[in-house]
């Protein structure tokens, strides 16, 4: 299916504000976890948005009614060019990608085909359509095993899994296309996305992330939560990660677009809080937030899991003026818990 809902192609989405035509932002993967929260934020700011998502792991219910939506792959050049023409697309936020580290190790060809091959075709379609500004969803996985903590953008990048390499390759492509074609970009390297907005929450199948699994156990959907590794060189022996609320991530994408609109240079920016929480700290905080016992099972370390991953996000503050306001652990867990109670079956009502 490559047509928007309703079966007909809509008229070009030109809106006039203050005598000027408002252009549209194409959001790929806009039915996914962070993508849908960003669409929500863009709409709240009055931006024109069109979403392209193949719904492989996204949810149509994550997109509010009234947002133009196309089901299809980003590598479908004809579709992307048609969307760009129909909606007068001038900018893009590119989320669409496979994003499971373990799966990428088991199925590397799938990740390079989806994230890189499809991505190359997609960026080519944007250039042909005249788009010259893009915000790219990247990851701290491009750093691999960090040589210093907290991790700054100056740290060497040497991924240790195909997922990280696929994102690294796209970052390099964007840098080359800036030099060759004037395509300006901001690559945002997320640390651990978590939490929920009022309408957008985390609903993956399978689910590999700690926060939703801890809360799923609290709600009775899992018997226990596995704790992988209790002998790390950390205060309580469990691994430490930097968690960022998806509302704060969504705001960073808005600010990145504004940076590019203002003539800003291409950038690579970490998105994190600079603080980390251990696995046991997450579980203990979840127990307080939910009032539930949350049973745990202690297991051995997983291969490739570093003891600590925490961002140095000072550059994002300097370049974008970005400062997370909802990324304390209690707020993250409380927001996702409220969403889960309202959506016990995720987006399947």
């Amino acid at each position: 299916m490559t047509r928007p809902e309703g079966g007909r192609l809509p008229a070009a989405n030109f809106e006039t504000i203050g005598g000027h035509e408002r252009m549209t932002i194409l959001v790929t993967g806009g039915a996914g976890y962070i993508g849908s929260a960003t669409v929500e934020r863009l709409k709240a700011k009055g931006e024109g948005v069109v979403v392209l998502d193949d719904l492989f792991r996204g949810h149509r219910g994550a997109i509010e009614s009234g947002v133009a939506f196309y089901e299809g792959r980003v590598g479908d050049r004809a579709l992307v060019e048609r969307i760009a023409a129909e909606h007068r697309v001038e900018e893009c936020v590119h989320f669409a990608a496979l994003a499971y580290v373990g799966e990428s190790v088991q199925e590397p060809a799938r990740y390079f085909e989806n994230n890189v091959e499809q991505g190359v075709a997609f960026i080519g379609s944007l250039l042909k359509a005249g788009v010259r500004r893009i915000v790219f969803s990247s990851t701290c996985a491009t750093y691999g095993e960090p040589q210093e903590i907290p991790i700054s953008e100056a740290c060497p990048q040497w991924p240790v899994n195909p997922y990280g390499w696929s994102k690294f390759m796209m970052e390099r492509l964007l840098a080359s296309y800036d030099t060759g074609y004037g395509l300006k970009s901001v690559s945002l390297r997320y640390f651990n996305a978590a939490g929920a907005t009022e309408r957008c929450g985390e609903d993956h199948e399978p689910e590999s992330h700690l926060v939703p699994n801890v809360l799923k156990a609290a709600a009775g959907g899992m018997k226990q939560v596995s704790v992988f590794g209790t002998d790390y060189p950390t205060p309580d022996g469990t691994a430490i990660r930097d968690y960022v609320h998806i509302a704060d991530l969504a705001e960073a994408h808005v600010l990145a677009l504004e940076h590019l609109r203002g003539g800003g240079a291409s950038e690579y920016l970490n998105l994190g809080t600079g603080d980390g929480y251990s696995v046991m700290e997450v579980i203990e905080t979840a127990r307080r937030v939910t009032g539930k016992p949350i049973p745990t099972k202690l297991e051995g370390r997983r291969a490739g899991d570093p003891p600590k991953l925490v961002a140095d996000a000072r550059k994002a503050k300097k370049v974008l003026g970005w400062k997370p306001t909802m990324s304390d652990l209690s707020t993250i867990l409380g927001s996702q818990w409220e969403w889960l109670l309202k959506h016990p079956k995720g987006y399947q009502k």
Side-chain angles (χ1 to χ4, degrees):
M1 173 178 165
T2 58
R3 291 181 179 272
E5 284 196 346
R8 295 180 59 194
L9 291 173
N13 188 26
F14 300 169
E15 295 185 52
T16 301
I17 300 178
H20 300 282
E21 288 181 346
R22 182 180 71 172
M23 307 309 175
T24 308
I25 303 163
L26 172 60
V27 181
T28 69
Y33 178 40
I34 308 171
S36 60
T38 301
V39 170
E40 181 183 28
R41 181 64 182 137
L42 288 169
K43 290 298 292 181
K45 290 183 68 68
E47 299 281 2
V49 178
V50 57
V51 171
L52 172 61
D53 198 301
D54 64 6
L55 297 183
F56 176 61
R57 285 184 174 141
H59 303 276
R60 182 64 186 91
I63 303 299
E64 61 186 286
S65 60
V67 175
F69 173 78
Y70 291 76
E71 183 178 346
R73 302 194 75 188
V74 296
D76 185 337
R77 292 178 181 267
L79 173 60
V80 173
E81 291 168 19
R82 190 165 78 236
I83 293 171
E86 290 286 338
H87 293 270
R88 192 76 178 274
V89 170
E90 245 190 15
E91 301 166 319
C92 175
V93 183
H94 182 35
F95 291 99
L98 296 174
Y100 289 163
V101 168
E103 182 181 68
S104 78
V105 174
Q106 296 171 352
E107 302 182 66
R110 186 180 185 188
Y111 271 67
F112 288 117
E113 188 279 335
N114 187 85
N115 295 2
V116 181
E117 183 179 336
Q118 291 277 316
V120 171
F122 175 65
I123 301 301
S125 300
L126 292 185
L127 287 173
K128 186 175 180 180
V131 176
R132 292 296 183 272
R133 294 189 294 273
I134 181 170
V135 177
F136 177 59
S137 168
S138 193
T139 171
C140 64
T142 62
Y143 293 112
E145 297 286 348
Q147 297 183 9
E148 62 182 54
I149 298 291
I151 303 168
S152 75
E153 293 84 357
C155 288
Q157 290 178 285
W158 191 259
V160 295
N161 54 67
Y163 167 61
W165 277 113
S166 72
K167 291 291 189 175
F168 177 81
M169 288 177 179
M170 290 303 296
E171 284 193 9
R172 296 301 93 208
L173 177 144
L174 290 171
S176 299
Y177 282 27
D178 183 354
T179 302
Y181 310 118
L183 176 64
K184 298 300 179 183
S185 64
V186 175
S187 293
L188 298 175
R189 297 169 182 162
Y190 313 154
F191 280 63
N192 286 53
T197 67
E198 186 173 347
R199 64 167 290 108
C200 300
E202 191 161 12
D203 180 16
H204 296 127
E205 186 58 48
E207 184 55 77
S208 62
H209 296 148
L210 178 64
V211 167
N213 280 335
V214 166
L215 296 177
K216 188 175 180 180
M222 293 173 58
K223 290 176 59 178
Q224 59 197 9
V225 175
S226 292
V227 178
F228 296 102
T230 58
D231 59 347
Y232 286 105
T234 62
D236 64 17
T238 62
I240 292 173
R241 296 292 182 265
D242 190 338
Y243 294 90
V244 191
H245 198 288
I246 60 168
D248 287 329
L249 292 178
E251 182 63 18
H253 290 79
V254 172
L255 293 172
L257 284 172
E258 292 176 354
H259 166 79
L260 293 175
R261 288 173 181 174
S266 294
E267 293 284 358
Y268 308 92
L269 304 173
N270 291 338
L271 297 183
T273 65
D275 295 314
Y277 299 99
S278 72
V279 172
M280 289 310 304
E281 284 179 309
V282 172
I283 293 170
E284 288 296 337
T285 304
R287 287 169 176 158
R288 292 196 299 271
V289 168
T290 66
K292 305 294 182 180
I294 311 181
T296 60
K297 180 182 180 182
L298 304 183
E299 302 193 38
R301 297 187 188 187
R302 293 181 299 192
D305 272 354
K308 187 175 182 180
L309 291 176
V310 175
D312 178 346
R314 289 176 295 177
K315 187 178 179 185
K317 181 177 181 180
K318 179 180 178 180
V319 173
L320 303 182
W322 179 74
K323 184 178 180 181
T325 61
M326 297 183 63
S327 293
D328 63 281
L329 190 56
S330 293
T331 298
I332 286 172
L333 289 164
S335 64
Q336 180 67 16
W337 179 241
E338 289 179 12
W339 190 87
L340 180 60
L341 294 178
K342 294 176 182 177
H343 306 84
K345 296 183 179 180
Y347 286 102
Q348 297 179 8
K349 296 182 180 179

